Amino acid sequence: QVTLKESGPVLVKPRETLTLTCTVSGFSLSNSRMGVSWIRQPPGKALEWLAHIFSSDETSYSRSLKSRLTIYKDTSKSQVVLTMTNMDPVDTATYYCARSPDYYYHNSGYYPDAFDVWGQGTMVTVSS
Amino acid sequence: EIVLTQSPGTLSLSPGERATLSCRASQSVSSSFLAWYQQKPGQAPRLLIYGASRRATGIPDRFSGSGSGTDFSLTISRLEPDDFAVYYCQQHGSSPYTFGQGTKLQIK
């Protein structure tokens, strides 16, 4: 059974750095086709894609948040980590990780397949 | 950045009726990279449709997707009580991989 589980702090202070971990099971991050994305959802609002890491370790980021985000993986621990710097109350949200089971070459670039398995999400509140 | 606009924002229908949800893109999206997700309160999103028209594993055939270019739709042929939720479209063929703002399907 494929599962993803997010973990990290429930509360962070403004200007701090958030570190979230996505621990996967049922598949290997070293699989040549699979990738993982992070997506967030402020309370009562829509989903917002943040970052993706491909099996090759190539990464892709939200244009508006790129300067604040870093995504990387530790294959030996079956973990994908997202860091977000300079946290602000507007970053209060539920953060999800999700698996993409494949990728495709399209328009001179690589793009993930749809996100077929999601973690349960972890709620992060930014407040002093 | 490709902006996805979903309509209507809220759709009120009764069980047994047909629902049609729209997703319009600001630029052309390859059909291979258009997906639909269902989200119920307090739950993570669930993949319904990928490649614009392919049902994900375990998704009943009352759900169907169609469209190309900039106009896509999700149709639920006969609504069941469990189908009332929020639905999101997403494009993942151009970074950033954007989501629409969602359509809330509620019981009339």
Side-chain angles (χ1 to χ4, degrees), chain A residues 2-102:
Chain A
V2 173
T3 64
L4 298 89
K5 187 170 185 179
E6 306 88 348
S7 60
V10 174
L11 180 67
V12 299
K13 291 181 168 54
R15 295 176 297 282
E16 287 187 339
T17 294
L18 172 68
T19 299
L20 295 172
T21 300
C22 175
T23 303
V24 309
S25 63
F27 70 99
S28 172
L29 292 173
S30 62
N31 181 291
S32 62
R33 308 297 297 183
M34 296 193 183
V36 173
S37 265
W38 283 94
I39 301 103
R40 72 178 179 179
Q41 185 173 40
K45 295 189 177 181
L47 301 167
E48 178 183 18
W49 175 79
L50 299 176
H52 185 82
I53 187 162
F54 292 86
S55 54
S56 63
D57 286 337
E58 184 174 337
T59 58
S60 184
Y61 292 99
S62 160
R63 194 170 297 174
S64 61
L65 295 169
K66 185 173 184 176
S67 63
R68 299 173 54 205
L69 296 173
T70 302
I71 187 172
Y72 63 91
K73 59 179 175 169
D74 185 333
T75 301
S76 66
K77 293 182 179 178
S78 295
Q79 293 178 337
V80 175
V81 178
L82 180 76
T83 65
M84 181 180 293
T85 61
N86 195 25
M87 293 292 285
D88 183 273
V90 300
D91 297 313
T92 294
T94 297
Y95 288 75
Y96 297 99
C97 58
R99 183 187 81 161
S100 171
D102 207 340

Side-chain angles (χ1 to χ4, degrees), chain B residues 26-39:
Chain B
S26 60
Q27 306 170 40
S28 184
V29 173
S30 168
S31 296
S32 299
F33 299 101
L34 194 288
W36 290 91
Y37 301 86
Q38 177 194 65
Q39 187 178 34

Side-chain angles (χ1 to χ4, degrees), chain A residues 37 39 41 45-49 52 54 60-64 96 104-107 110-121, chain B residues 1-2 30 32-35 37 39 42-47 49-51 54 88 90 92-102:
Chain A
S37 265
I39 301 103
Q41 185 173 40
K45 295 189 177 181
L47 301 167
E48 178 183 18
W49 175 79
H52 185 82
F54 292 86
S60 184
Y61 292 99
S62 160
R63 194 170 297 174
S64 61
Y96 297 99
Y104 302 97
Y105 187 73
H106 166 71
N107 284 351
Y110 290 94
Y111 298 94
D113 205 347
F115 305 145
D116 66 339
V117 184
W118 294 59
Q120 63 190 19
Chain B
E1 173 172 328
I2 296 178
S30 168
S32 299
F33 299 101
L34 194 288
Y37 301 86
Q39 187 178 34
Q43 296 184 17
R46 175 176 71 145
L47 178 65
I49 300 288
Y50 67 98
R54 301 180 180 184
Y88 294 96
Q90 183 211 15
H92 49 97
S94 174
S95 184
Y97 313 135
T98 46
F99 289 89
Q101 84 279 17

